[in-house]
Amino acid sequence: MIEKIHHIGIAVHSLDEALKFYRDTFGLHVHAQDTVQDQGVKAALLTIGSSEIELLEPLSPESAVGRFLARKGEGLHHICFQTPDVDGDLQALKEKSVELVDQQPRRGIAGMICFLHPKASRGVLVELATPMEMYKAPE
Ligand code: CO
């Protein structure tokens, strides 16, 4: 069950350059920053009220975000909905035959996450996330 927009993901060529705007000019607080090897990104989360902005710099042009940048340039990449139960929600979506990118939740910068296929959500890449502090692994 979706609770709120957890974050908006923005693809950028350079995290350092993007932080000059979002952190330094806007004054947003960087709440987390990490390299996520299996997603091929260097990412930062900046707090904006009870939601966040996620800046994504690809580690290589062959990564998903690298290919996105080559195709579309910098800009809005995905929207992430927070749920207390990413495993249960992903299972429910499978049962409804929703097209998915991930068949199992995996560890991301926002917690346990999974991506739906943009075909399922009218062209928007949707991520579901359960922050680690509220995550309970299935039995
Ligand atoms: Co995200």
Side-chain angles (χ1 to χ4, degrees):
M1 188 221 346
I2 289 161
E3 295 178 320
K4 65 168 195 171
I5 293 174
H6 183 278
H7 66 263
I8 305 280
I10 299 172
V12 302
H13 288 297
S14 161
L15 189 55
D16 289 337
E17 287 300 315
L19 283 172
K20 283 183 192 165
F21 178 71
Y22 285 98
R23 180 192 58 203
D24 303 340
T25 305
F26 258 153
L28 298 177
H29 172 69
V30 178
H31 148 90
Q33 195 165 336
D34 208 357
T35 298
V36 187
Q37 290 292 348
D38 75 324
Q39 288 174 52
V41 291
K42 238 167 80 175
L45 280 173
L46 296 95
T47 307
I48 182 160
S50 67
S51 298
E52 298 183 272
I53 295 280
E54 180 179 55
L55 301 173
L56 301 159
E57 175 193 322
L59 295 175
S60 81
E62 296 79 40
S63 66
V65 174
R67 293 196 309 269
F68 176 92
L69 276 174
R71 221 170 49 240
K72 297 193 170 167
E74 290 188 306
L76 193 59
H77 180 260
H78 67 271
I79 183 162
C80 177
F81 298 128
Q82 179 173 311
T83 162
D85 181 13
V86 67
D87 296 277
D89 282 1
L90 186 57
Q91 190 56 40
L93 290 169
K94 276 187 201 173
E95 284 161 16
K96 292 175 186 167
S97 303
V98 170
E99 281 194 75
L100 304 169
V101 171
D102 294 307
Q103 299 301 317
Q104 292 299 327
R106 55 194 162 99
R107 187 68 203 263
I109 191 171
M112 288 302 285
I113 63 115
C114 65
F115 283 96
L116 279 53
H117 196 283
K119 275 186 202 160
S121 33
R122 302 281 145 183
V124 177
L125 179 59
V126 170
E127 176 182 9
L128 299 180
T130 302
M132 287 321 288
E133 60 270 21
M134 59 168 67
Y135 182 71
K136 288 189 195 74
E139 312 270 304

